Amino acid sequence: MRTIKYLFQKGNSIASVPDELYGSFVEHLGRAVYSGIYEPGHPKADKNGFREDVASMIKELGISTVRYPGGNFVSGYNWRDGIGPKAERPVRLDYAWLSKETNQFGNDEFYTWCQKYDLSPMVAVNLGTGTPQDAGYFIEYCNFPGGTTLSDLRKSHGRAEPYNFKLWCLGNEMDGPWQTCHLEAQEYVRKAHETAKIMRWVDPDIKLVGCGSATTLLPTYPEWDRIVLEGLYDDIDFLSCHHYFENSTGKTEDFLGSYVLMENFIHTIESTADFVKAKLRSKKDMMISFDEWNIWSIEGEPWMNYFADPSHRFTEKPPLLEQSYTLLDALVFGGLMCTLINHCDRVRMASLAQLVNVIAPIFTKEGGPAIAQTIFYPFKMVSEYGRGEALRFFADVPCIETVHGQTRTLHSSAVYNEERGEIAFFVLNLGKESARIELKTEGFGDKEELVSHTILSGPDLLVRNTFETPNAVMSRDSALTEAEVKCLVTDVPALSFNRYVVKVN
Ligand code: AHR
């Protein structure tokens, strides 16, 4: 068997991996909020109604930022509905998900939840039905110290100190025809520009994310991105990328090669941003917020037909987008995480969409337990050790032909953590054979030992975690032989996602 050699050299790095790469997303959608993160009366809920069992799983994942309150939901949402005394809050129709919104959880609760669990808020303003003035009022309520009607209103709700939300999205997927009050690119530019002006007048320290294309499938992609970048280059700090992946051909190797689609997408957006930078004679590099990504089998999921039954329309916390993930999904997911790390010089934030119940790593039963879906494990494997410098390396990896063209059978990323003196190497083997690899290091120190191997794999790629079998799929530590420890040569099993840790000093 041929040995594939990887050489990691100190200083040969892509960029530092930002904590914000390990962000997620909670939308008012289905059971993400109600009976997801928030369920008053649940045996594991705290006095605020926050589910502690869910919170401890979020901690285990190492989640950094949480995007809120949408998603499509935000484009019809009035932020005033979710503040102040709960008994006075209105019950509304949510147009995005044809649901009934009770507003018992809103901006005030989101802030408390983030504070309690040490999560960084990333808040979206409504640029669908909302106006630039509404966005200005919203940030005044949240971030202005006091002495105005809205900042004093926050104080009257028991919040003397401002929330100081620093990350803001200028709307959501405004290019999508499905969006409430969808906009053409130039219309979005005009509205987002005026909104950004007002928001920065109220708080000059914020970071703003402009809407990039909602999907590569829209005919406006990537022209939308060019127009938005040209119009908003000086207004925004990040352009958003959204991309979901599914097994569209039904072939395992095509699906496992989804990382190629993500790479291509990032390349296109980076190139478009760099074209605009040159055209505008700007000195600034536009960063990317990949703030919606995941596996989402949009076709064939039961939620598509959910509203065919008229009695399901406008009900509370409907069971929408409750995808049950397979081991295969989790392997694909691991490959996508490698791609995010390999592009972290430009992708400076990412949000796994979503966090609980809705296309999510955590799944709950109302009044019952919370379980880890299969995709929980690759996220945890990477987020635990993927902090430090992302390393650049070359390896001569064999390819197979997939729907994406020539596709590397090993897809990997590496992160050096100086404090721990460790290099974590993450690798997806999408081939049907195991692959022999050798990990070589240069310039890190005298020591060089392979100290651990964590693997996600199994005989049945279609197995899922359920309430009956919650641990059917889990990552596990695999023993290393003395020769593997010393020589750093090992075999990566077929169809597996792996984390190897090399001690270097
Ligand atoms: O994450 C689910 C939905 O997908 C979001 O609401 C929307 O932004 C995207 O289309």
Side-chain angles (χ1 to χ4, degrees):
M1 187 191 297
R2 179 162 81 85
T3 304
I4 301 160
K5 293 188 179 158
Y6 292 83
L7 174 64
F8 308 118
Q9 295 161 302
K10 187 154 188 199
N12 189 9
S13 39
I14 300 165
S16 64
V17 181
D19 280 344
E20 289 77 8
L21 209 66
Y22 301 107
S24 190
F25 175 29
V26 171
E27 178 170 3
H28 281 255
L29 192 185
R31 298 192 307 112
V33 173
Y34 305 108
S35 80
I37 60 170
Y38 174 78
E39 190 179 335
H42 186 280
K44 299 260 171 71
D46 73 357
K47 65 174 180 8
N48 301 297
F50 303 153
R51 280 188 66 155
E52 300 274 15
D53 53 345
V54 172
S56 70
M57 292 175 79
I58 294 171
K59 192 172 174 48
E60 201 182 329
L61 283 173
I63 296 293
S64 52
T65 58
V66 180
R67 186 166 171 253
Y68 174 86
N72 297 339
F73 171 80
V74 78
S75 300
Y77 180 55
N78 184 344
W79 64 272
R80 291 168 192 261
D81 292 346
I83 58 168
K86 289 186 181 180
E88 292 167 23
R89 296 190 192 173
V91 175
R92 301 275 189 207
L93 299 182
D94 159 25
Y95 309 135
W97 302 105
L98 303 184
S99 309
K100 189 189 279 181
E101 175 55 56
T102 62
N103 287 304
Q104 292 305 292
F105 187 99
N107 195 49
D108 289 344
E109 290 72 33
F110 176 64
Y111 173 73
T112 310
W113 182 75
C114 285
Q115 272 218 316
K116 174 160 185 190
Y117 301 112
D118 199 19
L119 298 160
S120 300
M122 180 177 182
V123 184
V125 298
N126 173 356
L127 289 194
T129 59
T131 64
Q133 173 85 90
D134 290 334
Y137 286 153
F138 183 25
I139 192 167
E140 180 184 337
Y141 176 85
C142 297
N143 287 11
F144 202 71
T148 65
T149 301
L150 288 169
S151 54
D152 288 346
L153 179 64
R154 183 197 68 240
K155 289 184 173 196
S156 76
H157 295 152
R159 319 294 185 137
E161 295 307 315
Y163 294 167
N164 272 325
F165 292 154
K166 289 300 169 208
L167 286 174
W168 293 83
C169 305
L170 291 166
N172 175 72
E173 296 188 350
M174 297 311 302
D175 56 331
W178 58 85
Q179 205 66 214
T180 309
C181 297
H182 143 84
L183 298 171
E184 299 302 327
Q186 286 297 358
E187 294 172 331
Y188 173 68
V189 165
R190 177 132 178 75
K191 193 166 181 179
H193 174 66
E194 295 306 322
T195 307
K197 271 162 54 185
I198 294 177
M199 291 179 75
R200 287 201 198 275
W201 282 331
V202 179
D203 184 346
D205 296 331
I206 55 173
K207 298 259 185 244
L208 290 175
V209 184
C211 286
S213 286
T215 156
T216 56
L217 302 175
L218 281 174
T220 46
Y221 166 77
E223 186 61 358
W224 166 279
D225 302 84
R226 181 193 63 78
I227 297 169
V228 166
L229 284 162
E230 283 193 26
L232 296 177
Y233 209 81
D234 292 333
D235 292 311
I236 59 177
D237 302 284
F238 301 86
L239 186 75
S240 73
C241 279
H242 290 184
H243 202 315
Y244 293 96
F245 303 86
E246 63 182 324
N247 193 353
S248 44
T249 66
K251 289 194 192 141
T252 302
E253 61 270 27
D254 289 346
F255 190 30
L256 286 165
S258 296
Y259 71 85
V260 177
L261 291 176
M262 191 189 237
E263 280 176 350
N264 292 345
F265 183 37
I266 294 171
H267 281 145
T268 304
I269 298 301
E270 278 179 2
S271 314
T272 308
D274 291 347
F275 167 81
V276 173
K277 176 187 174 188
K279 189 170 174 189
L280 300 181
R281 312 292 190 257
S282 173
K283 291 199 170 8
K284 163 171 133 184
D285 285 323
M286 183 58 65
M287 296 299 151
I288 294 171
S289 170
F290 212 123
D291 48 42
E292 286 191 32
W293 72 272
N294 201 350
I295 316 293
W296 181 8
S297 308
I298 299 177
E299 296 301 331
E301 278 295 312
W303 71 271
M304 289 288 276
N305 299 320
Y306 188 73
F307 294 114
D309 179 342
S311 72
H312 288 164
R313 286 165 60 86
F314 297 114
T315 53
E316 280 179 47
K317 47 178 169 8
L320 301 179
L321 282 60
E322 298 200 351
Q323 180 157 344
S324 165
Y325 288 101
T326 62
L327 170 59
L328 175 59
D329 293 324
L331 299 183
V332 177
F333 188 101
L336 298 174
M337 290 206 82
C338 288
T339 299
L340 289 174
I341 288 181
N342 291 339
H343 290 272
C344 74
D345 54 335
R346 297 297 286 275
V347 180
R348 298 300 290 168
M349 301 201 288
S351 307
L352 167 63
Q354 297 194 8
L355 189 52
V356 188
N357 290 333
V358 170
I359 41 174
I362 302 170
F363 195 65
T364 68
K365 194 175 261 183
E366 190 167 359
I371 60 167
Q373 293 235 51
T374 61
I375 58 170
F376 185 95
Y377 293 101
F379 193 99
K380 181 179 162 178
M381 282 164 74
V382 179
S383 116
E384 271 177 347
Y385 279 79
R387 317 264 176 168
E389 288 286 308
L391 297 176
R392 201 183 297 283
F393 53 88
F394 175 77
D396 186 11
V397 172
C399 291
I400 49 168
E401 189 64 24
T402 71
V403 71
H404 316 295
Q406 282 292 296
T407 305
R408 297 181 309 279
T409 48
L410 294 183
H411 180 52
S412 52
S413 62
V415 178
Y416 169 52
N417 185 298
E418 186 155 26
E419 217 171 291
R420 299 207 284 227
E422 287 171 350
I423 296 170
F425 179 62
F426 308 101
V427 58
L428 165 71
N429 182 359
L430 57 95
K432 293 199 177 86
E433 309 289 336
S434 67
R436 180 152 302 162
I437 60 165
E438 179 177 2
L439 306 177
K440 281 265 158 225
T441 70
E442 205 176 271
F444 294 94
D446 300 338
K447 203 170 171 180
E448 191 190 58
E449 267 183 11
L450 190 56
V451 291
S452 73
H453 174 211
T454 308
I455 182 166
L456 186 66
S457 70
D460 180 0
L461 289 181
L462 298 183
V463 71
R464 301 156 197 267
N465 290 343
T466 64
F467 288 109
E468 293 69 40
T469 56
N471 301 325
V473 177
M474 292 176 86
S475 55
R476 60 189 162 78
D477 289 336
S478 168
L480 293 165
T481 65
E482 207 169 308
E484 285 174 312
V485 171
K486 296 275 173 260
C487 304
L488 294 95
V489 176
T490 189
D491 291 342
V492 185
L495 298 169
S496 65
F497 182 66
N498 304 268
R499 179 181 73 200
Y500 295 94
V501 178
V502 179
K503 199 90 192 150
V504 282
N505 49 33

